[in-house]
Amino acid sequence: MRVFVAGGTGVVGRRLVEQLVGRGHQVVATTTSTGKLAQLEGLGAEGIVMDGLDAASVGEAVARAQPDTIVNEMTALSVAHAGKPNPRRPAHFFATTNRLRSEGTDHLLAAAEAAGVPHVVAQGHASMNGVRQGGWVKSEEDGLEVVEGTRAIRHLEEVVVRAGGAVLRYGGFYGPGANEDQVRLVRKRLVPLVGAGSGYFSWVHVDDAASATVLAVEQKARGVFNIVDDEPAPVSEWLPYLAECAGAKPPRRVPYWLARLLAGEMMAGVMVEGRAFSNAKAKRELGWEPQYPSWRQGFKETLR
């Protein structure tokens, strides 16, 4: 199969390109920088420079690639992290990523239609953004809580599913290139336990996110899938364990009102009210089994 990966040099994109090539697929992958073309070629892909927010650039890249499937892994999170984000200004931090998930997705779908590409897979999100009603663990049938970092996800899910494609709601990433910034903050004790740490999170190793995406591509999957590990857990469990695995002191504790003042409503809110996700549908319908079924195993192995 000929697969077009938009965002091929991102955290998941790199692992996905490598896995697709390893399974015998022809891969055309995009980057925004000519300096990263060699990286894509080193992974066995054909590299193309593309601006995901420019409809003409996207249309030309897809027409040139003539793929069987398009995978959208475009975000601007690595660029945003490099700018020392202010947690009290999440709209600024996520602005370009939200545009890529809305405008960029629209451009890819239009290009797919123009080029006769029958299938699209897109990156969604499912770590702590389940609707804050009812239980702590949500299925694909449950709604999403709109927080700044996931503001465009509803649009992405609606248009991709309507086009007959699949949206993979990835959990919080960890693994190579995924959460080094977070680990550094944990080692400095700058990620506190807020209140009782009652908010739930779902995690996924980047290699497991990539392997689920390969299955969605090969099976021409349709609909929404939560791509998370088997153990959704409250912050009060995973954060102290992450600190232990990172060789750090236990996290400090701060009351909710102070966290809200220092870090803003979005960050404080998810630490006490976040809802996580179930992977039952992905296991049942895609036949996906994560290599790292629990963040307990994953954190320990990736941080030793």
Side-chain angles (χ1 to χ4, degrees):
M1 188 181 298
R2 190 166 173 84
V3 185
F4 183 93
V5 179
T9 57
V11 169
V12 178
R14 293 192 301 270
R15 319 299 282 192
L16 174 60
V17 168
E18 189 173 23
Q19 290 190 27
L20 286 168
V21 170
R23 290 173 71 93
H25 298 289
Q26 292 180 292
V27 180
V28 178
T30 77
T31 176
T32 58
S33 170
T34 55
K36 293 184 178 181
L37 289 173
Q39 181 185 136
L40 291 172
E41 293 168 1
L43 294 173
E46 176 188 344
I48 295 179
V49 175
M50 185 187 82
D51 179 355
L53 295 176
D54 183 320
S57 176
V58 175
E60 291 169 5
V62 172
R64 170 182 162 186
Q66 297 184 317
D68 301 301
T69 298
I70 292 172
V71 183
N72 181 11
E73 299 288 354
M74 295 188 297
T75 74
L77 296 179
S78 61
V79 175
H81 275 291
K84 296 182 180 180
N86 182 343
R88 289 175 293 182
R89 297 182 61 203
H92 178 74
F93 178 81
F94 290 107
T96 303
T97 292
N98 280 331
R99 288 188 65 199
L100 286 167
R101 286 172 170 165
S102 54
E103 297 169 43
T105 298
D106 290 345
H107 295 333
L108 281 170
L109 290 173
E113 184 177 7
V117 182
H119 189 235
V120 174
V121 177
Q123 176 185 141
H125 184 73
S127 64
M128 45 49 182
N129 55 310
V131 64
R132 294 176 189 173
Q133 297 174 359
W136 293 98
V137 180
K138 304 298 182 181
S139 75
E140 289 81 357
E141 301 304 315
D142 295 308
L144 298 177
E145 187 76 15
V146 178
V147 295
E148 192 59 52
T150 59
R151 186 166 296 277
I153 295 295
R154 284 184 176 178
H155 170 80
L156 180 148
E157 291 190 356
E158 179 182 342
V159 296
V160 171
V161 171
R162 187 194 306 146
V167 177
L168 305 185
R169 293 176 173 173
Y170 300 135
F173 292 136
Y174 70 94
N179 68 329
E180 283 86 349
D181 289 341
Q182 180 188 48
V183 171
R184 279 194 290 270
L185 292 174
V186 167
R187 286 175 173 148
K188 294 178 181 178
R189 303 187 79 196
L190 294 176
V191 182
L193 269 174
V194 176
S198 52
Y200 268 63
F201 276 59
S202 283
W203 293 94
V204 68
H205 190 283
V206 287
D207 286 339
D208 285 330
S211 70
T213 310
V214 171
L215 292 174
V217 167
E218 293 179 341
Q219 297 176 27
K220 293 183 170 56
R222 295 170 177 258
V224 177
F225 299 86
N226 297 331
I227 306 302
V228 299
D229 72 15
D230 296 350
E231 191 177 358
V235 181
S236 60
E237 290 187 21
W238 66 256
L239 181 55
Y241 186 78
L242 176 60
E244 179 184 342
C245 292
K249 293 180 180 179
R252 296 184 174 92
R253 289 183 175 270
V254 301
Y256 173 75
W257 68 264
L258 181 58
R260 184 177 180 183
L261 180 66
L262 297 175
E265 174 60 38
M266 190 191 88
M267 292 300 297
V270 299
M271 296 290 268
V272 297
E273 297 183 33
R275 267 35 174 203
F277 296 84
S278 165
N279 63 15
K281 180 181 177 182
K283 286 186 162 187
R284 182 179 66 249
E285 297 190 13
L286 297 179
W288 177 65
E289 289 292 338
Q291 178 184 356
Y292 296 92
S294 170
W295 47 269
R296 297 178 193 275
Q297 170 197 358
F299 289 176
K300 185 175 182 180
E301 292 189 16
T302 58
L303 289 172
R304 62 186 175 185

